[in-house]
Coordinates of all heavy atoms in Angstrom, one line a residue:
G1 N 25.2 29.7 56.0 CA 25.6 30.0 54.6 C 25.7 28.7 53.8 O 25.4 27.6 54.2
T2 N 26.0 28.9 52.5 CA 26.1 27.8 51.6 C 27.5 27.8 50.9 O 28.1 28.8 50.8 CB 25.0 27.8 50.5 OG1 25.2 29.0 49.8 CG2 23.6 27.8 51.1
Y3 N 27.8 26.6 50.5 CA 29.0 26.4 49.7 C 28.6 26.1 48.3 O 27.8 25.2 48.1 CB 29.9 25.2 50.3 CG 30.9 24.7 49.3 CD1 32.1 25.4 49.2 CD2 30.7 23.6 48.5 CE1 33.1 25.0 48.3 CE2 31.7 23.2 47.6 CZ 32.9 23.9 47.5 OH 33.8 23.5 46.6
H4 N 29.2 26.8 47.3 CA 28.9 26.5 45.9 C 30.3 26.3 45.3 O 31.1 27.2 45.2 CB 28.2 27.7 45.2 CG 28.0 27.5 43.8 ND1 27.1 26.5 43.3 CD2 28.5 28.0 42.7 CE1 27.1 26.6 42.0 NE2 27.9 27.5 41.6
G5 N 30.5 25.0 44.9 CA 31.9 24.8 44.3 C 32.0 23.5 43.6 O 31.0 22.8 43.3
L6 N 33.2 23.2 43.2 CA 33.6 22.1 42.4 C 34.0 20.9 43.3 O 34.6 21.0 44.3 CB 34.8 22.4 41.5 CG 34.6 23.7 40.7 CD1 35.9 24.0 40.0 CD2 33.5 23.5 39.7
V7 N 33.6 19.7 42.9 CA 33.9 18.5 43.5 C 34.5 17.5 42.5 O 33.9 17.3 41.4 CB 32.7 17.8 44.2 CG1 33.1 16.5 44.8 CG2 32.1 18.7 45.2
F8 N 35.7 17.0 42.7 CA 36.3 16.1 41.8 C 36.3 14.7 42.5 O 36.8 14.5 43.6 CB 37.8 16.5 41.5 CG 38.4 15.6 40.4 CD1 38.2 15.9 39.1 CD2 39.2 14.5 40.8 CE1 38.8 15.1 38.1 CE2 39.8 13.7 39.9 CZ 39.6 14.0 38.5
S9 N 35.6 13.7 41.8 CA 35.6 12.4 42.3 C 36.4 11.5 41.5 O 36.1 11.3 40.3 CB 34.1 11.9 42.4 OG 33.6 11.9 41.1
G10 N 37.5 11.1 42.0 CA 38.4 10.2 41.2 C 38.0 8.8 41.4 O 37.5 8.3 42.4
G11 N 38.3 8.0 40.3 CA 38.0 6.6 40.5 C 37.1 6.0 39.4 O 37.4 6.0 38.3
D12 N 35.9 5.6 39.9 CA 35.0 4.8 39.1 C 34.0 5.6 38.3 O 32.8 5.2 38.2 CB 34.3 3.8 40.0 CG 33.6 2.7 39.2 OD1 33.9 2.5 38.0 OD2 32.7 2.0 39.8
G13 N 34.4 6.7 37.7 CA 33.5 7.4 36.8 C 32.1 7.7 37.3 O 31.9 8.3 38.3
M14 N 31.1 7.3 36.6 CA 29.7 7.6 36.9 C 29.3 7.1 38.2 O 28.5 7.7 38.9 CB 28.8 7.1 35.8 CG 27.5 7.7 35.8 SD 27.6 9.5 35.6 CE 25.9 10.0 35.9
A15 N 29.8 5.9 38.6 CA 29.4 5.4 39.9 C 29.8 6.3 41.0 O 29.0 6.5 42.0 CB 30.1 4.0 40.1
D16 N 31.0 6.9 41.0 CA 31.5 7.8 42.0 C 30.6 9.1 42.0 O 30.3 9.6 43.0 CB 32.9 8.2 41.9 CG 33.9 7.1 42.3 OD1 33.4 6.0 42.9 OD2 35.1 7.2 42.1
K17 N 30.3 9.6 40.8 CA 29.4 10.8 40.7 C 28.1 10.5 41.3 O 27.5 11.4 42.0 CB 29.3 11.2 39.2 CG 30.5 11.7 38.6 CD 30.2 12.1 37.2 CE 31.4 12.3 36.4 NZ 31.1 12.6 34.9
E18 N 27.6 9.3 41.2 CA 26.3 9.0 41.7 C 26.3 8.9 43.3 O 25.4 9.4 43.9 CB 25.8 7.6 41.2 CG 25.3 7.7 39.7 CD 25.0 6.4 39.1 OE1 25.0 5.4 39.8 OE2 24.8 6.4 37.9
V19 N 27.4 8.4 43.8 CA 27.6 8.4 45.3 C 27.6 9.9 45.8 O 26.9 10.2 46.8 CB 29.0 7.7 45.6 CG1 29.3 8.0 47.1 CG2 28.9 6.2 45.3
V20 N 28.4 10.7 45.1 CA 28.4 12.2 45.5 C 27.0 12.8 45.4 O 26.6 13.5 46.3 CB 29.5 12.9 44.7 CG1 29.4 14.4 45.0 CG2 30.9 12.4 45.0
A21 N 26.3 12.5 44.3 CA 25.0 13.1 44.1 C 24.0 12.7 45.1 O 23.2 13.5 45.6 CB 24.5 12.8 42.7
R22 N 24.0 11.4 45.5 CA 23.1 10.9 46.5 C 23.5 11.6 47.9 O 22.6 12.0 48.6 CB 23.2 9.4 46.7 CG 22.4 8.7 45.6 CD 22.3 7.2 45.9 NE 23.5 6.5 46.1 CZ 24.2 5.9 45.1 NH1 23.7 5.9 43.9 NH2 25.3 5.3 45.4
F23 N 24.7 11.7 48.2 CA 25.2 12.3 49.4 C 24.8 13.8 49.5 O 24.3 14.3 50.5 CB 26.7 12.1 49.6 CG 27.1 12.5 51.0 CD1 26.9 11.6 52.0 CD2 27.8 13.6 51.3 CE1 27.3 11.9 53.3 CE2 28.2 13.9 52.6 CZ 28.0 13.1 53.6
V24 N 25.0 14.5 48.4 CA 24.6 15.9 48.3 C 23.1 16.1 48.5 O 22.6 17.0 49.3 CB 25.0 16.5 46.9 CG1 24.3 17.9 46.7 CG2 26.5 16.7 46.9
A25 N 22.3 15.2 48.0 CA 20.8 15.2 48.2 C 20.5 15.0 49.7 O 19.6 15.7 50.2 CB 20.1 14.2 47.3
Q26 N 21.2 14.1 50.3 CA 21.0 13.8 51.7 C 21.3 15.1 52.6 O 20.7 15.2 53.7 CB 21.8 12.6 52.2 CG 21.4 11.3 51.7 CD 22.3 10.2 52.1 OE1 23.3 10.4 52.7 NE2 22.0 9.0 51.7
L27 N 22.2 15.9 52.1 CA 22.6 17.1 52.8 C 21.6 18.3 52.5 O 21.9 19.4 52.9 CB 24.0 17.5 52.4 CG 25.1 16.5 52.7 CD1 26.4 17.0 52.1 CD2 25.3 16.3 54.3
D28 N 20.6 18.0 51.8 CA 19.6 19.0 51.3 C 20.3 20.0 50.3 O 20.0 21.2 50.3 CB 19.0 19.8 52.4 CG 18.0 18.9 53.2 OD1 17.4 18.1 52.6 OD2 18.0 19.1 54.4
G29 N 21.3 19.5 49.6 CA 22.0 20.3 48.6 C 21.5 20.0 47.2 O 20.6 19.2 47.0
T30 N 22.2 20.6 46.2 CA 21.8 20.4 44.8 C 23.1 20.1 44.0 O 24.2 20.6 44.3 CB 21.1 21.6 44.2 OG1 22.0 22.7 44.3 CG2 19.8 21.8 44.8
V31 N 23.0 19.3 43.0 CA 24.0 19.1 42.0 C 23.7 20.0 40.9 O 22.7 19.9 40.2 CB 24.1 17.6 41.5 CG1 25.1 17.5 40.4 CG2 24.5 16.7 42.7
D32 N 24.5 21.0 40.7 CA 24.2 22.1 39.7 C 24.7 21.7 38.3 O 24.2 22.1 37.3 CB 24.9 23.4 40.1 CG 24.4 23.8 41.5 OD1 23.2 23.9 41.7 OD2 25.3 23.9 42.4
H33 N 25.8 20.9 38.2 CA 26.4 20.5 36.9 C 27.2 19.3 37.1 O 27.9 19.1 38.1 CB 27.2 21.6 36.3 CG 27.9 21.3 35.0 ND1 27.2 21.2 33.9 CD2 29.2 20.9 34.8 CE1 28.1 20.8 32.9 NE2 29.3 20.6 33.4
V34 N 27.1 18.4 36.1 CA 27.9 17.2 36.1 C 28.6 17.2 34.7 O 28.0 17.2 33.7 CB 27.1 15.9 36.2 CG1 28.0 14.7 36.1 CG2 26.4 15.9 37.5
S35 N 30.0 17.1 34.7 CA 30.7 17.1 33.5 C 30.8 15.6 33.0 O 31.4 14.8 33.7 CB 32.1 17.6 33.8 OG 33.0 17.4 32.6
A36 N 30.2 15.4 31.9 CA 30.2 14.0 31.4 C 31.6 13.4 31.1 O 31.8 12.3 31.5 CB 29.3 13.9 30.1
P37 N 32.5 14.2 30.5 CA 33.8 13.6 30.1 C 34.8 13.5 31.3 O 35.9 13.0 31.1 CB 34.3 14.4 29.0 CG 33.7 15.8 29.2 CD 32.3 15.5 29.8
T38 N 34.5 14.2 32.4 CA 35.4 14.2 33.5 C 34.8 13.8 34.8 O 33.6 13.4 34.8 CB 36.0 15.7 33.7 OG1 34.9 16.5 34.2 CG2 36.5 16.3 32.4
Q39 N 35.5 13.8 35.9 CA 35.0 13.5 37.2 C 34.5 14.7 38.0 O 34.3 14.7 39.2 CB 36.1 12.8 38.0 CG 36.6 11.5 37.4 CD 35.5 10.5 37.1 OE1 35.0 10.4 36.0 NE2 35.1 9.9 38.1
L40 N 34.4 15.8 37.3 CA 34.0 17.1 37.9 C 32.5 17.3 38.0 O 31.8 17.1 37.1 CB 34.7 18.2 37.1 CG 34.9 19.6 37.8 CD1 35.8 19.4 39.0 CD2 35.5 20.6 36.8
M41 N 32.1 17.8 39.2 CA 30.7 18.2 39.5 C 30.7 19.5 40.1 O 31.7 19.9 40.8 CB 30.1 17.2 40.4 CG 30.1 15.7 39.9 SD 29.6 14.6 41.2 CE 27.8 14.9 41.3
T42 N 29.7 20.3 39.9 CA 29.4 21.5 40.7 C 28.2 21.3 41.6 O 27.2 20.8 41.1 CB 29.2 22.7 39.7 OG1 30.2 22.8 38.8 CG2 29.1 24.0 40.5
V43 N 28.4 21.6 42.9 CA 27.4 21.4 43.8 C 27.1 22.6 44.7 O 28.0 23.4 44.8 CB 27.7 20.2 44.7 CG1 27.9 18.9 43.9 CG2 28.9 20.4 45.7
T44 N 26.0 22.6 45.3 CA 25.6 23.6 46.3 C 25.1 22.9 47.6 O 24.2 22.1 47.4 CB 24.6 24.6 45.8 OG1 25.0 25.3 44.6 CG2 24.3 25.7 46.9
I45 N 25.8 23.1 48.7 CA 25.4 22.4 49.9 C 25.5 23.4 51.1 O 26.1 24.5 51.0 CB 26.3 21.2 50.2 CG1 27.8 21.7 50.4 CG2 26.2 20.1 49.2 CD1 28.7 20.6 50.9
P46 N 24.9 23.1 52.2 CA 25.0 23.9 53.4 C 26.5 24.0 53.8 O 27.2 22.9 53.7 CB 24.2 23.2 54.5 CG 23.2 22.4 53.7 CD 23.9 22.0 52.5
L47 N 27.0 25.1 54.2 CA 28.4 25.3 54.5 C 28.9 24.3 55.6 O 30.0 23.8 55.5 CB 28.7 26.7 54.8 CG 30.2 27.1 55.0 CD1 31.0 26.9 53.8 CD2 30.3 28.6 55.4
D48 N 28.1 24.1 56.6 CA 28.5 23.3 57.7 C 28.6 21.8 57.3 O 29.1 21.0 58.0 CB 27.6 23.4 58.9 CG 26.2 23.1 58.6 OD1 25.8 22.9 57.5 OD2 25.4 23.0 59.6
A49 N 28.1 21.4 56.1 CA 28.2 20.1 55.6 C 29.4 19.8 54.8 O 29.7 18.7 54.4 CB 26.9 19.7 54.8
L50 N 30.2 20.8 54.5 CA 31.4 20.7 53.7 C 32.4 19.6 54.2 O 32.8 18.8 53.4 CB 32.0 22.0 53.5 CG 33.2 22.1 52.5 CD1 32.8 21.7 51.1 CD2 33.7 23.5 52.4
P51 N 32.7 19.6 55.5 CA 33.6 18.6 56.0 C 33.1 17.2 55.8 O 33.8 16.2 55.5 CB 33.7 18.9 57.5 CG 33.4 20.3 57.6 CD 32.3 20.6 56.6
K52 N 31.7 17.0 55.8 CA 31.2 15.7 55.6 C 31.4 15.2 54.1 O 31.7 14.1 53.9 CB 29.7 15.7 55.9 CG 29.4 15.9 57.4 CD 27.9 16.0 57.6 CE 27.6 16.4 59.1 NZ 26.2 16.7 59.3
L53 N 31.2 16.2 53.2 CA 31.4 15.9 51.8 C 32.8 15.6 51.5 O 33.1 14.6 50.8 CB 30.9 17.1 50.9 CG 31.1 16.9 49.4 CD1 30.2 15.7 48.9 CD2 30.7 18.2 48.7
A54 N 33.7 16.3 52.1 CA 35.1 16.1 51.9 C 35.6 14.8 52.5 O 36.6 14.2 52.0 CB 35.9 17.3 52.6
A55 N 34.9 14.3 53.5 CA 35.3 13.0 54.1 C 34.9 11.8 53.3 O 35.3 10.6 53.6 CB 34.7 12.9 55.5
L56 N 34.1 11.9 52.2 CA 33.7 10.8 51.4 C 34.9 10.2 50.7 O 35.7 10.9 50.2 CB 32.7 11.2 50.3 CG 31.3 11.5 50.7 CD1 30.4 11.9 49.5 CD2 30.6 10.3 51.3
D57 N 35.0 8.9 50.7 CA 36.1 8.2 50.1 C 36.3 8.5 48.6 O 37.4 8.5 48.1 CB 36.0 6.7 50.3 CG 36.3 6.3 51.7 OD1 37.0 7.1 52.4 OD2 35.9 5.2 52.1
V58 N 35.1 8.8 47.9 CA 35.2 9.0 46.5 C 35.5 10.4 46.1 O 35.7 10.7 44.9 CB 33.8 8.6 45.8 CG1 33.6 7.1 46.0 CG2 32.7 9.5 46.3
V59 N 35.6 11.3 47.1 CA 36.0 12.7 46.8 C 37.5 12.9 46.9 O 38.1 12.6 47.9 CB 35.3 13.7 47.8 CG1 35.8 15.1 47.6 CG2 33.7 13.6 47.5
T60 N 38.1 13.3 45.7 CA 39.5 13.6 45.7 C 39.9 15.0 46.1 O 40.8 15.2 46.8 CB 40.0 13.3 44.2 OG1 39.6 12.0 43.9 CG2 41.5 13.4 44.1
W61 N 39.2 16.0 45.6 CA 39.4 17.3 46.0 C 38.1 18.2 45.8 O 37.2 17.8 45.1 CB 40.6 18.0 45.3 CG 40.6 18.0 43.8 CD1 41.3 17.2 43.0 CD2 40.0 19.0 42.9 NE1 41.1 17.6 41.7 CE2 40.3 18.6 41.6 CE3 39.2 20.1 43.1 CZ2 39.9 19.4 40.5 CZ3 38.7 20.8 42.0 CH2 39.1 20.4 40.7
I62 N 38.1 19.3 46.5 CA 37.0 20.3 46.5 C 37.6 21.6 46.3 O 38.6 22.0 46.9 CB 36.2 20.2 47.8 CG1 35.5 18.8 47.9 CG2 35.2 21.3 47.9 CD1 34.8 18.7 49.3
D63 N 37.0 22.5 45.5 CA 37.5 23.8 45.2 C 36.3 24.8 45.1 O 35.2 24.4 44.6 CB 38.3 23.9 44.0 CG 39.2 25.1 43.8 OD1 39.2 25.9 44.8 OD2 39.8 25.3 42.8
R64 N 36.4 26.0 45.6 CA 35.4 27.0 45.4 C 35.1 27.3 44.0 O 36.1 27.4 43.2 CB 35.9 28.3 46.2 CG 34.8 29.2 46.4 CD 35.3 30.4 47.3 NE 36.3 30.0 48.2 CZ 37.3 30.7 48.6 NH1 37.5 31.9 48.0 NH2 38.2 30.3 49.5
W65 N 33.9 27.4 43.6 CA 33.5 27.8 42.2 C 34.0 29.2 41.9 O 33.9 30.1 42.8 CB 32.0 27.6 42.0 CG 31.6 27.9 40.6 CD1 31.5 27.0 39.6 CD2 31.2 29.2 40.0 NE1 31.1 27.6 38.4 CE2 30.9 29.0 38.7 CE3 31.1 30.5 40.5 CZ2 30.5 30.0 37.8 CZ3 30.7 31.5 39.7 CH2 30.4 31.2 38.4
G66 N 34.4 29.4 40.7 CA 34.7 30.8 40.3 C 34.3 31.0 38.8 O 34.2 30.0 38.1
A67 N 33.9 32.2 38.5 CA 33.5 32.5 37.2 C 34.6 32.3 36.2 O 35.8 32.4 36.5 CB 33.1 34.0 37.1
P68 N 34.3 31.9 35.0 CA 35.4 31.6 34.0 C 36.2 32.9 33.8 O 35.7 34.0 33.8 CB 34.6 31.3 32.7 CG 33.2 30.8 33.2 CD 33.0 31.6 34.5
E69 N 37.5 32.6 33.7 CA 38.5 33.7 33.4 C 39.4 33.3 32.3 O 39.6 32.1 32.0 CB 39.3 34.0 34.7 CG 38.6 34.4 35.9 CD 39.4 34.6 37.1 OE1 40.7 34.6 36.9 OE2 38.9 34.7 38.2
Q70 N 39.9 34.3 31.6 CA 40.7 34.0 30.4 C 41.9 33.1 30.7 O 42.2 32.2 30.0 CB 41.2 35.3 29.8 CG 41.9 35.1 28.4 CD 42.2 36.4 27.7 OE1 42.0 37.4 28.3 NE2 42.6 36.3 26.5
D71 N 42.5 33.3 31.8 CA 43.7 32.5 32.2 C 43.4 31.1 32.6 O 44.2 30.2 32.7 CB 44.5 33.2 33.3 CG 43.7 33.2 34.6 OD1 42.5 33.2 34.6 OD2 44.4 33.3 35.7
M72 N 42.1 30.8 32.8 CA 41.7 29.4 33.1 C 41.1 28.6 31.9 O 40.7 27.5 32.1 CB 40.6 29.5 34.2 CG 41.1 30.0 35.6 SD 42.4 28.9 36.2 CE 41.5 27.4 36.6
D73 N 41.2 29.2 30.7 CA 40.6 28.5 29.6 C 41.2 27.1 29.4 O 40.4 26.2 29.1 CB 40.8 29.4 28.3 CG 39.9 30.6 28.3 OD1 38.9 30.6 29.1 OD2 40.0 31.4 27.4
I74 N 42.4 27.0 29.5 CA 43.1 25.7 29.2 C 42.7 24.7 30.3 O 42.3 23.6 30.0 CB 44.6 25.8 29.1 CG1 45.0 26.7 27.9 CG2 45.2 24.4 29.0 CD1 46.4 27.0 27.8
A75 N 42.7 25.1 31.5 CA 42.3 24.2 32.6 C 40.9 23.8 32.5 O 40.5 22.6 32.7 CB 42.6 24.8 34.0
R76 N 40.0 24.7 32.2 CA 38.6 24.4 32.1 C 38.3 23.5 30.9 O 37.4 22.6 30.9 CB 37.8 25.7 32.0 CG 37.7 26.4 33.3 CD 36.8 27.6 33.2 NE 37.0 28.5 34.4 CZ 36.3 28.3 35.5 NH1 35.5 27.3 35.7 NH2 36.5 29.1 36.6
Q77 N 39.1 23.6 29.8 CA 38.9 22.8 28.7 C 39.3 21.3 29.0 O 38.7 20.4 28.6 CB 39.7 23.2 27.5 CG 39.2 24.5 26.8 CD 40.2 25.0 25.8 OE1 41.1 24.4 25.4 NE2 39.9 26.2 25.3
L78 N 40.3 21.2 29.9 CA 40.8 19.9 30.2 C 39.9 19.2 31.3 O 39.7 18.0 31.3 CB 42.2 19.9 30.8 CG 43.3 20.4 29.8 CD1 44.6 20.6 30.5 CD2 43.4 19.3 28.7
L79 N 39.3 20.0 32.2 CA 38.6 19.5 33.4 C 37.1 19.6 33.2 O 36.4 18.8 33.9 CB 39.0 20.2 34.7 CG 40.5 20.0 35.0 CD1 40.8 20.8 36.3 CD2 40.7 18.5 35.3
A80 N 36.6 20.5 32.5 CA 35.1 20.6 32.4 C 34.8 21.4 31.2 O 33.9 22.1 31.0 CB 34.6 21.1 33.6

């Protein structure tokens, strides 16, 4: 299976995003979206690679992607 979800890389802005993007590519995954004003990225990777992604020092948290919902408008405006 595959994992499609959000990755938050805290710390050094674009440099951390580049680390995550390179790692996702090494896992034969894709970066689907990068939020310019935040540390949030949306990625698709093989499900069995999820623990490896989570183990990266630059990854603060990971969450399953979900379609936009009305109750999430404020959080989505703040994070992506």
Side-chain angles (χ1 to χ4, degrees):
T2 60
Y3 165 80
H4 178 69
L6 307 172
V7 177
F8 186 85
S9 60
D12 193 18
M14 196 59 185
D16 284 354
K17 289 180 196 177
E18 289 173 6
V19 169
V20 172
R22 282 193 303 270
F23 193 74
V24 166
Q26 290 174 357
L27 299 172
D28 293 324
T30 58
V31 175
D32 305 304
H33 177 75
V34 176
S35 172
T38 71
Q39 300 304 100
L40 199 59
M41 303 171 70
T42 306
V43 303
T44 302
I45 59 171
L47 187 58
D48 62 348
L50 188 57
K52 295 174 186 174
L53 179 62
L56 284 181
D57 288 340
V58 297
V59 172
T60 304
W61 57 261
I62 295 175
D63 195 9
R64 195 173 327 142
W65 182 88
E69 297 177 16
Q70 188 173 8
D71 64 335
M72 291 298 293
D73 284 350
I74 295 171
R76 289 185 189 274
Q77 288 173 9
L78 294 173
L79 296 174

